[in-house]
Amino acid sequence: MEILEKNRIILIPAYEPDSRLISYVKELNGHGLHDIVIVNDGSGESHKNIFGTLKEMGCVVLTHKYNQGKGMALKTGYHYIHDTYPDYACIITADADGQHAAEDVFRMANEAVKNPDSLILGERNFKQSGIPAKSLMGNRLTSTIFALFFGRYLPDTQTGLRAFGPMLTELMWGILGERFEYETRVLIYCIRSKVPIVPVEIQTIYENENRGTHFHPIKDSFKIISVITSDFMKFISTSILCAAIDIGLAWLLFDLLRRFLPGADFLRIMTATAAARVVSIGVNYFLNKNLVFCNEHTGTNSLFRYLALCALNMVLSALSVYLLHTYLRMDEKAAKIICDVILFLFNYQLQSRWVFAIRGLNHEP
């Protein structure tokens, strides 16, 4: 077996681990993986002996005084590795509950070295027998919803076995999230910033119905779903707000302009409508950039892309309503509602992937 160099760093966040973690470290050592950083995420005095043994085995043990969550434990490890190992080739994150076979960690390290600009995902095979029903349901649900909103089906969005090179380390610790939802935010950020995601099939290990894990398949899966859908819910909110601004301002201007444009109703209505639309578009652009997609790295042309999308929407809306009304004899008002709902979903996807996509980042450490 090829022995990996020592600058492949294994990072294990651990909260109240049992003796399996000690056995797991021995297995990793047997595969030539000796640089192991373990973050004790506030496990308390009752687990002091386990972490003491891990230190004696050569592991670096970092300690949080209180439990801060898996996301924060990973970020603590990323900062330490970045500052301590200047020549590391990659970081491989693994769970402390024995779900990830040492040979799979070894394979992930090799893949990360081959693909230094990519996120390597260890994907479990949920088609095999013996998978706990709650885990299967939670993974399938989150994977399906993730694909619906981000256009990429990842069979295992909740996998903790991941690897990446130093080019991505600063990106990883800059992503929001403190607990299990952090790993979902990483996937979202990588897709939006066009970081390649490389899947590697790994063994599916559930010991004792996976009772040792601190991940709650139902409760935590719904938390993850809320992360996946949060941008869309904010998108709906800003759209409703801007529609109210558009209508309210138009109504206000209809009355205010009467004194300046007496008898010129068409010009008055067009002026009021155009002014209201300009204001609502400006507010919507600002809110979507800074609140919905929260991206400072959209490039210099995001406003022009946004305006182009607005123009495209107007053309598609008018054309679709005309075609439905003319050839299917559909009521114009009903056709307008159907077309605009479809365009609303289309609009969200294009704004996420094109208008406000993450651009121009340099991930060099």
Side-chain angles (χ1 to χ4, degrees):
M1 177 185 297
E2 174 192 354
I3 301 297
L4 291 175
E5 299 174 13
K6 282 194 173 184
N7 56 1
R8 276 76 166 177
I9 316 298
I10 313 302
L11 174 60
I12 303 176
Y15 175 60
E16 299 183 346
D18 55 30
S19 59
R20 287 178 300 176
L21 181 54
I22 296 173
S23 300
Y24 186 50
V25 168
K26 291 178 180 178
E27 292 176 12
L28 292 172
N29 291 164
H31 283 75
L33 299 165
H34 297 281
D35 284 346
I36 301 174
V37 176
I38 297 173
V39 181
N40 172 9
D41 189 26
S43 299
E45 289 296 315
S46 60
H47 294 78
K48 185 176 181 180
N49 290 339
I50 289 177
F51 289 107
T53 300
L54 292 168
K55 284 183 180 179
E56 293 173 0
M57 295 172 64
C59 298
V60 173
V61 177
L62 309 175
T63 302
H64 289 168
K65 290 183 179 180
Y66 58 91
N67 179 253
Q68 298 183 44
K70 187 177 184 181
M72 288 302 295
L74 289 171
K75 292 176 185 180
T76 294
Y78 296 154
H79 280 284
Y80 176 83
I81 292 167
H82 181 268
D83 295 339
T84 308
Y85 300 90
D87 298 322
Y88 70 96
C90 64
I91 298 173
I92 308 96
T93 66
D95 292 343
D97 55 10
Q99 284 197 36
H100 303 137
E103 54 264 38
D104 287 332
V105 176
F106 180 89
R107 290 172 53 231
M108 294 283 289
N110 278 330
E111 288 297 325
V113 172
K114 294 176 186 175
N115 301 277
D117 62 341
S118 303
L119 174 65
I120 315 300
L121 282 188
E123 292 187 349
R124 295 165 288 183
N125 182 2
F126 290 101
K127 294 180 181 179
Q128 67 184 52
S129 60
I131 307 297
K134 291 190 296 183
S135 297
L136 176 61
M137 182 173 67
N139 271 279
R140 287 287 170 82
L141 182 62
T142 54
S143 292
T144 300
I145 294 176
F146 189 92
L148 179 65
F149 282 94
F150 298 101
R152 173 79 183 268
Y153 185 79
L154 300 172
D156 192 0
T157 57
Q158 298 172 10
T159 179
L161 185 56
R162 305 179 177 198
F164 55 87
M167 293 174 64
L168 300 181
T169 303
E170 290 189 33
L171 179 152
M172 293 298 172
W173 74 52
I175 295 172
L176 297 177
E178 297 181 355
R179 299 190 177 275
F180 284 111
E181 80 282 354
Y182 165 75
E183 292 178 309
T184 303
R185 293 187 187 277
V186 168
L187 299 180
I188 294 171
Y189 197 95
C190 285
I191 285 178
R192 293 195 59 220
S193 60
K194 307 241 180 340
V195 172
I197 298 177
V198 178
V200 174
E201 186 170 338
I202 61 173
Q203 300 176 55
T204 308
I205 302 172
Y206 284 104
E207 296 182 0
N208 194 26
E209 286 290 305
N210 204 30
R211 291 189 178 95
T213 183
H214 295 283
F215 182 86
H216 301 281
I218 303 300
K219 182 179 70 174
D220 288 327
S221 290
F222 276 105
K223 288 181 181 178
I224 290 171
I225 289 170
S226 70
V227 171
I228 294 172
T229 59
S230 63
D231 284 354
F232 184 66
M233 298 308 295
K234 288 187 287 186
F235 184 76
I236 291 176
S237 299
T238 59
S239 297
I240 292 173
L241 173 62
C242 291
I245 291 173
D246 189 26
I247 294 171
L249 185 57
W251 287 356
L252 178 64
L253 290 174
F254 287 160
D255 293 332
L256 290 178
L257 291 176
R258 287 185 190 278
R259 58 184 296 187
F260 300 104
L261 299 170
D265 287 346
F266 178 76
L267 179 60
R268 174 176 59 85
I269 291 171
M270 284 296 295
T271 301
T273 300
R277 184 57 53 89
V278 168
V279 172
S280 67
I281 284 176
V283 172
N284 191 248
Y285 169 79
F286 177 82
L287 291 177
N288 285 354
K289 180 179 180 181
N290 297 287
L291 177 64
V292 177
F293 301 108
C294 301
N295 180 15
E296 299 177 354
H297 305 284
T298 59
T300 57
N301 297 318
S302 62
L303 177 59
F304 297 107
R305 292 192 295 269
Y306 179 82
L307 294 175
L309 181 59
C310 289
L312 178 63
N313 276 328
M314 285 189 286
V315 172
L316 289 178
S317 178
L319 181 61
S320 300
V321 171
Y322 171 77
L323 292 175
L324 290 175
H325 175 68
T326 302
Y327 294 101
L328 298 182
R329 302 299 179 187
M330 185 179 292
D331 179 76
E332 293 172 334
K333 295 178 181 177
K336 175 67 173 172
I337 292 173
I338 293 172
C339 293
D340 282 359
V341 167
I342 294 173
L343 284 173
F344 179 78
L345 301 175
F346 169 77
N347 210 16
Y348 172 76
Q349 294 290 348
L350 272 186
Q351 287 196 36
S352 175
R353 301 186 201 182
W354 180 55
V355 176
F356 299 111
I358 299 169
R359 290 175 165 84
L361 290 185
N362 180 6
H363 302 309
E364 294 287 350

